[in-house]
Amino acid sequence: MGDNNNNDNNVNLPPGFRFYPTDEELVVHFLHRKVSLLPCHPDVIPDLELYPYDPWELDGKALGEDNKWYFYSRKTQNRVTRNGYWKALGIEESVNNNTTYKKVGTKKYFVFYVGDLPNNNNNNSSSPAIKTNWIMHEFHLSDSASASTSSTRSSSKRRSSNKIDYSKWVLCRVYERDEDDDGTELSCLDEVFLSLDDLDEISLPN
């Protein structure tokens, strides 16, 4: 997948425009329209192949607002970058419609580690990777929301030679926790997971 973020107009917001979307708005007004092949105005969130990039390289490539970076990416299990990898926290948070309380999507949590991805088959690997303060929220449509877009995608694909399966898109929000902040930029889950030394010891309820 090629990046379409080389044009600054795809990354920079118009003068006076601030981007402070809620989780619901990211899923419903941006990701859902992306998957449905519907226009989004303003079209400010770029497509980006995340995993070649370390999080500190996103500036100028993703949509940046107040030390947060937003972009669309394809679903993948390979979250290894040049200098590290994104580690899943093993939890999903529901994103609900504020009016109907119906689930419209999910938010998955990741933390960035600098170093080599652990190899379970090699206990004599290099020194352990170092956990950073970089956090990623990866937004997915709910199964019902994905199903509701199938007819729209089918109709659009018949009119287009583009063979990309847009149901495979996710929307990502990446930011770095400031050691000196008061925690207001983080959700409760972010605070809990960043305070733990060993994420492998987490036991979460079903």
Side-chain angles (χ1 to χ4, degrees):
M1 181 190 70
D3 298 344
N4 68 351
N5 58 319
N6 293 326
N7 186 340
D8 288 341
N9 291 331
N10 289 334
V11 178
N12 296 328
L13 296 173
F17 187 95
R18 305 303 299 274
F19 194 70
Y20 290 109
T22 64
D23 290 353
E24 179 192 358
E25 289 168 342
L26 286 174
V27 171
V28 174
H29 298 290
F30 290 94
L31 183 56
H32 186 274
R33 298 186 71 83
K34 175 76 168 180
V35 171
S36 302
L37 303 181
L38 297 173
C40 184
H41 302 291
D43 185 12
V44 293
I45 301 180
D47 301 345
L48 184 66
E49 188 69 50
L50 165 65
Y51 302 108
Y53 300 110
D54 296 313
W56 51 85
E57 296 178 313
L58 293 174
D59 192 24
K61 298 179 176 67
L63 168 62
E65 178 66 42
D66 195 24
N67 296 321
K68 295 182 177 69
W69 287 269
Y70 300 84
F71 53 91
Y72 299 111
S73 189
R74 300 297 299 278
K75 293 180 183 178
T76 179
Q77 298 300 316
N78 178 20
R79 296 183 175 89
V80 178
T81 71
R82 294 187 181 98
N83 295 298
Y85 60 93
W86 290 97
K87 182 172 183 178
L89 299 180
I91 189 170
E92 295 183 4
E93 182 179 351
S94 294
V95 179
N96 300 321
N97 184 292
N98 286 333
T99 302
T100 65
Y101 302 104
K102 180 180 179 181
K103 181 179 177 180
V104 294
T106 57
K107 178 168 66 172
K108 298 183 179 182
Y109 291 77
F110 298 82
V111 171
F112 189 74
Y113 280 72
V114 173
D116 295 330
L117 187 68
N119 185 349
N120 294 331
N121 297 323
N122 182 9
N123 295 327
N124 297 320
S125 59
S126 58
S127 58
I130 300 172
K131 182 173 64 177
T132 72
N133 288 329
W134 286 98
I135 299 172
M136 179 167 68
H137 297 158
E138 189 177 87
F139 294 90
H140 299 245
L141 288 179
S142 65
D143 292 338
S144 59
S146 297
S148 69
T149 64
S150 59
S151 60
T152 303
R153 291 198 306 268
S154 298
S155 176
S156 299
K157 285 183 177 180
R158 283 194 295 267
R159 299 190 302 268
S160 172
S161 60
N162 192 342
K163 300 300 183 182
I164 295 176
D165 183 358
Y166 283 88
S167 67
K168 301 301 183 182
W169 289 100
V170 295
L171 197 160
C172 300
R173 173 170 60 203
V174 173
Y175 60 97
E176 184 181 22
R177 182 196 184 201
D178 188 342
E179 292 284 4
D180 297 325
D181 69 21
D182 58 6
T184 56
E185 293 296 328
L186 299 176
S187 72
C188 293
L189 286 174
D190 294 334
E191 291 282 9
V192 168
F193 286 119
L194 281 177
S195 67
L196 297 174
D197 292 328
D198 189 351
L199 295 178
D200 293 330
E201 296 180 356
I202 297 175
S203 178
L204 296 171
N206 293 327

